[in-house]
Amino acid sequence: MATVNPNYENLQGSYLFANIARKVEAFKESHPEADIIRLGIGDVTRPLVPAVIEAIHAAVEEMGSADTFRGYGPEQGYDFLRNAIAEGDYAPLGITIQPDEIFVSDGAKSDVGNIQEIFSENNIIAITDPVYPVYLDSNVMGGRTGKAINGIYEKVVYLPTNAENNFSPAFPKERVDIVYLCCPNNPTGTVLSRARLAEWVQWCKDNEAILMFDSAYEAFITSTDTVRSIYEIEGAREVAIEFRSFSKTAGFTGTRCAYTVVPHEVTAKNAEGKRVPLNPMWNRRQTTKFNGVPYIIQRGAAAVYTPEGRAQIKEHIAYYMENARIIREGLEAIGLTVFGGVDAPYIWIQAPAGMSSWDLFDTLLEKVHIVSTPGSGFGPEGEGYLRLTAFGSRENTIRAVDRIKTLQF
Ligand code: MLT
């Protein structure tokens, strides 16, 4: 008889955002009149910009004509997009990334979830706490975590990240082989300084660890003391894999396009202790299990790098960051302690004394009909916090803040 992957039995509950969606649906059913404002999952609300839409339309036309029609594309992405990424995202930072180090995909979530497959089950992973749940859950599925005891996985190294350490976790004290860092951070909306990231790169080199660097939110950075790419740090090419996405930057959450950079220099040891490059391994994984992002979508993504595309997207990012300011300042005005929202479209709110994350979530949903994300859903250290996203419409953001201001905490 077939047997299931036993690691799945080590997963806790259901995926956070699916869980919240179910809760909200149940509330809607019992309160059909409620005018619900969704500031929970980080899903964008601005439409795709005209430059992207035009490129997609043109690509649709190409697909309708025998002489320009395309079937299977390269699994790693078309050269036109890989070149545009190298030239558009990295060259301006003074970084040289070869197009064959860039793997275009259908999402950073898929890539951060799938990348663990090329590592042995024996690797010890370190995650920040709180954390974007995909890093952890995909490693649970991969058998690297052991069982959860009171919400803590036995084999995972948790790096508490909180107001006390200024959202900059300490280095692990024990052996770690793979470290996940998200900067700007989801869920806390905070960033790590350039100097601290340089120390992390050095730590990974000294400890022969791989750094999984998720920079899906880099477009929202306004501070100068952080990096847009980990490859701004000397030596990072030897230890870091970087994940980027068009989802939040260019409104592709429904359209799906992202990419992962695996530099030629980044290596890990095989069973004989010999260093092997990860780039060909990831290439092998992708060519076996993935058929690439649709041509039409890749054309849309490439339009992000045109002068018109850049200007239009900049406006959307400014729009969301103005929402972030409205939320941050509005909540501070009623005495709440908030973090983030300066370099990222997330605001991390400290629950008033005595309230848990879910207490505050329920209060917002039931009393003022706002969907948020409870901090505890991102890990034990997230308890007592709540996340709001700045990706709503301006109107809903203002209405939501006004409604929260009516609450007596
Ligand atoms: C979030 O709300 O944390 C994000 O939307 C999740 C994601 O990008 O997958």
Side-chain angles (χ1 to χ4, degrees):
M1 194 201 281
T3 53
V4 297
N5 176 347
N7 301 321
Y8 274 62
E9 293 183 348
N10 292 335
L11 288 164
Q12 298 182 89
S14 52
Y15 183 58
L16 174 64
F17 295 104
N19 198 2
I20 293 168
R22 259 199 311 280
K23 235 180 139 122
V24 173
E25 275 317 299
F27 180 79
K28 249 175 79 179
E29 242 167 62
S30 53
H31 300 80
E33 74 300 337
D35 167 23
I36 294 175
I37 299 178
R38 293 172 188 273
L39 300 182
I41 191 163
D43 196 3
V44 292
T45 52
R46 306 297 294 154
L48 293 173
V49 298
V52 168
I53 290 295
E54 277 163 34
I56 288 176
H57 278 165
V60 169
E61 290 303 321
E62 284 184 62
M63 293 299 270
S65 170
D67 47 342
T68 47
F69 168 77
R70 316 224 175 190
Y72 290 127
E75 294 91 344
Q76 307 84 348
Y78 284 98
D79 283 346
F80 66 79
L81 181 54
R82 297 170 100 191
N83 288 328
I85 291 167
E87 288 306 310
D89 280 344
Y90 292 103
L93 299 174
I95 299 166
T96 304
I97 296 289
Q98 303 299 331
D100 67 353
E101 296 175 316
I102 298 168
F103 294 84
V104 175
S105 77
D106 67 341
K109 176 179 174 176
S110 323
D111 287 352
V112 294
N114 292 330
I115 196 88
Q116 47 79 29
E117 279 183 31
I118 66 170
F119 294 93
S120 121
E121 203 179 303
N122 302 327
N123 282 292
I124 306 288
I125 66 152
I127 52 164
T128 59
D129 176 14
V131 75
Y132 177 48
V134 178
Y135 313 150
L136 178 62
D137 286 1
S138 57
N139 277 290
V140 176
M141 294 169 178
R144 268 174 223 97
T145 62
K147 291 193 188 312
I149 299 164
N150 295 328
I152 306 278
Y153 284 96
E154 338 170 76
K155 294 193 203 157
V156 173
V157 174
Y158 291 81
L159 308 174
T161 306
N162 47 39
E164 286 78 64
N165 59 23
N166 202 18
F167 297 96
S168 178
F171 295 131
K173 292 194 180 61
E174 49 282 87
R175 176 195 139 203
V176 160
D177 306 302
I178 300 173
V179 182
Y180 289 81
L181 291 180
C182 180
C183 178
N185 190 263
N186 178 14
T188 66
T190 55
V191 288
L192 294 169
S193 71
R194 182 179 290 270
R196 186 59 178 168
L197 286 166
E199 288 172 358
W200 269 109
V201 166
Q202 191 58 47
W203 187 91
C204 288
K205 286 176 121 175
D206 294 346
N207 291 277
E208 299 189 291
I210 296 291
L211 175 57
M212 301 290 186
F213 192 75
D214 184 348
S215 62
Y217 298 94
E218 60 79 29
F220 298 88
I221 293 173
T222 62
S223 307
T224 48
D225 186 20
T226 188
V227 300
R228 289 181 176 267
S229 164
I230 196 63
Y231 305 117
E232 289 182 52
I233 308 279
E234 214 187 307
R237 286 183 57 89
E238 290 156 49
V239 293
I241 293 176
E242 179 160 284
F243 304 91
R244 290 277 192 103
S245 174
F246 294 93
S247 282
K248 313 299 158 82
T249 312
F252 275 58
T253 52
T255 312
R256 310 307 307 153
C257 198
Y259 66 89
T260 289
V261 178
V262 188
H264 294 306
E265 292 92 323
V266 68
T267 58
K269 283 185 183 154
N270 67 10
E272 286 78 50
K274 183 172 163 260
R275 285 199 163 271
V276 293
L278 299 183
N279 178 295
M281 285 185 74
W282 183 241
N283 189 53
R284 184 73 171 80
R285 191 269 171 209
Q286 291 296 80
T287 50
T288 303
K289 295 197 180 182
F290 185 56
N291 258 334
V293 174
Y295 172 72
I296 295 166
I297 304 302
Q298 292 193 54
R299 278 289 178 203
V304 165
Y305 299 100
T306 61
E308 307 76 49
R310 277 188 187 285
Q312 292 160 1
I313 277 159
K314 213 169 144 194
E315 272 178 37
H316 280 199
I317 289 169
Y319 177 97
Y320 292 133
M321 292 314 282
E322 174 62 8
N323 285 350
R325 186 194 65 75
I326 291 167
I327 298 173
R328 219 179 51 238
E329 293 181 2
L331 300 191
E332 274 171 350
I334 55 165
L336 289 170
T337 303
V338 303
F339 303 93
V342 174
D343 295 303
Y346 293 122
I347 293 92
W348 191 239
I349 302 154
Q350 202 162 8
M355 283 183 108
S356 70
S357 296
W358 279 107
D359 288 341
L360 187 53
F361 174 92
D362 288 338
T363 301
L364 292 193
L365 182 61
E366 286 160 19
K367 299 221 171 112
V368 287
H369 307 158
I370 293 167
V371 181
S372 59
T373 309
S376 55
F378 297 103
E381 287 282 327
E383 181 54 274
Y385 289 90
L386 182 107
R387 193 193 75 176
L388 288 180
T389 131
F391 285 126
S393 67
R394 175 65 42 75
E395 189 198 350
N396 277 347
T397 301
I398 293 171
R399 287 165 69 223
V401 171
D402 286 345
R403 287 188 197 177
I404 296 172
K405 283 182 170 174
T406 65
L407 291 171
Q408 307 287 323
F409 289 116

